[in-house]
Amino acid sequence: MSDFKSATVEVRLPSRMGFEKVAMSSAASVAKLMGFREDRVEDLKTAVAEACINAIEHGNRLNEKLSVGVVLSTGEDSLEVKVIDDGKGMHTHPEKPDIDRKMHGEDPPRGMGMFLIQALVDEAEWVAGHDGKSSYVRLVIRLDKGSE
Amino acid sequence: MQSETKARVDQITSSAGHPVSVVRFEGDIASTSKDAVLGTFQTLPRESANKVLLDFSKVDYINSSGIALVIQLLIEASNAGQKVCAFGLSPHFTKVFTMVGIPKYASLFPSQGEALAAL
């Protein structure tokens, strides 16, 4: 899709587990339209799903009166995804999971979402809202022109 | 919204004659999959549960909560002295499982035959 310049797609999700798949499918559709390779689409799907799960569970604390906003913005050679919730934002830096500590009960089995997000996309940043609300995670995935 | 996780168990025999339990998952593996993942594992017959294969070939979606359930299963298996291998993951989820370190405790294989040969 070489003439793909800029476009914005917005999706609003209820804060209910499972609806991350709606955002995941939307992001995959846009990425395919832009010409991303299949393996990069899969990376994006997992990153977007994990960002939405964090927004639903930690940002909006499963409060179904609150929604999660997902904004997909296309550029000439990249796709930006913002996942917005009503939480205070994430302040910790994602660390690589230590499987030995998890297997020995020293770390909880969960807690890998932020690491996967950061590892699977080209850019990931967590931004806290000024008023303690409207925090978001911003992901960028770039078209790899060299191997397209 | 999430596809229900189904799990069934097949009892097979390795080429070396050892009994092997194969847990075959289907659907999504997410936070709602605890009964299917851990519950099914806990029902494996003791005499054939020393060697276990996990079949992910009919699983399309696994999120970090689902991976955490797989890690809990591996903790239980390790505590019980069971050997676990997995097969049938897509290339993407093979990469994701590798990124979080799972192959150190459960080798990953493309097919059941290759996993069975490694047990």
Side-chain angles (χ1 to χ4, degrees), chain B residues 9-49:
Chain B
V9 178
D10 286 343
Q11 301 297 335
I12 62 174
T13 304
S14 72
S15 54
H18 300 298
V20 178
S21 296
V22 187
V23 185
R24 302 192 192 280
F25 297 112
E26 191 173 340
D28 298 342
I29 300 190
S31 57
T32 53
S33 309
K34 187 174 180 181
D35 286 347
V37 176
L38 295 180
T40 303
F41 179 74
Q42 288 160 355
T43 64
L44 295 181
R46 288 289 170 193
E47 65 274 14
S48 60

Side-chain angles (χ1 to χ4, degrees), chain B:
Chain B
M1 196 65 198
Q2 265 158 354
S3 165
E4 182 191 359
T5 316
K6 295 176 185 167
R8 67 181 173 86
V9 178
D10 286 343
Q11 301 297 335
I12 62 174
T13 304
S14 72
S15 54
H18 300 298
V20 178
S21 296
V22 187
V23 185
R24 302 192 192 280
F25 297 112
E26 191 173 340
D28 298 342
I29 300 190
S31 57
T32 53
S33 309
K34 187 174 180 181
D35 286 347
V37 176
L38 295 180
T40 303
F41 179 74
Q42 288 160 355
T43 64
L44 295 181
R46 288 289 170 193
E47 65 274 14
S48 60
N50 193 39
K51 298 177 189 298
V52 179
L53 294 183
L54 306 178
D55 176 2
F56 292 98
S57 57
K58 292 186 177 173
V59 175
D60 294 324
Y61 173 63
I62 312 174
N63 63 27
S64 59
S65 299
I67 296 171
L69 290 173
V70 174
I71 291 173
Q72 284 180 261
L73 182 157
L74 295 178
I75 292 170
E76 292 190 18
S78 176
N79 291 340
Q82 296 162 306
K83 182 170 184 182
V84 180
C85 292
F87 68 93
L89 285 162
S90 68
H92 173 69
F93 284 112
T94 299
K95 178 171 80 173
V96 169
F97 273 42
T98 301
M99 287 165 62
V100 300
I102 284 179
K104 186 169 181 181
Y105 293 93
S107 297
L108 310 179
F109 297 92
S111 69
Q112 177 174 309
E114 288 161 282
L116 200 54
L119 278 176

Side-chain angles (χ1 to χ4, degrees), chain A:
Chain A
M1 199 159 187
S2 57
D3 60 346
F4 210 88
K5 291 178 182 169
S6 63
T8 301
V9 175
E10 296 190 32
V11 180
R12 191 158 288 279
L13 310 173
S15 295
R16 191 184 313 160
M17 289 301 207
F19 276 84
E20 76 275 7
K21 291 174 74 178
V22 175
M24 192 173 83
S25 300
S26 301
S29 297
V30 173
K32 285 176 185 172
L33 281 172
M34 292 179 70
F36 279 91
R37 293 194 320 261
E38 189 59 39
D39 62 321
R40 295 298 280 153
V41 174
E42 292 298 316
D43 290 346
L44 178 69
K45 285 166 66 179
T46 291
V48 169
E50 294 299 329
C52 290
I53 290 167
N54 281 343
I56 291 167
E57 188 175 6
H58 302 297
N60 289 350
R61 297 176 183 274
L62 299 168
N63 180 350
E64 293 200 18
K65 292 178 182 171
L66 302 175
S67 59
V68 172
V70 182
V71 182
L72 308 163
S73 303
T74 68
E76 281 193 25
D77 59 0
S78 65
L79 171 60
E80 179 193 83
V81 184
K82 279 185 181 177
V83 177
I84 307 153
D85 61 52
D86 280 324
K88 292 179 179 176
M90 299 280 195
H91 298 285
T92 55
H93 184 76
E95 292 182 7
K96 183 175 170 58
D98 185 330
I99 190 68
D100 294 323
R101 289 185 60 83
K102 288 182 185 294
M103 287 296 294
H104 294 115
E106 294 159 2
D107 284 346
R110 295 192 64 183
M112 293 170 282
M114 289 175 73
F115 163 75
L116 288 176
I117 292 167
Q118 189 165 63
L120 292 170
V121 297
D122 295 305
E123 287 179 39
E125 65 169 337
W126 284 264
V127 178
H130 293 301
D131 53 356
K133 295 169 73 175
S134 301
S135 299
Y136 63 87
V137 56
R138 173 181 165 273
L139 318 177
V140 177
I141 188 165
R142 294 193 191 91
L143 277 167
D144 182 1
K145 290 183 185 294
S147 56
E148 290 301 305

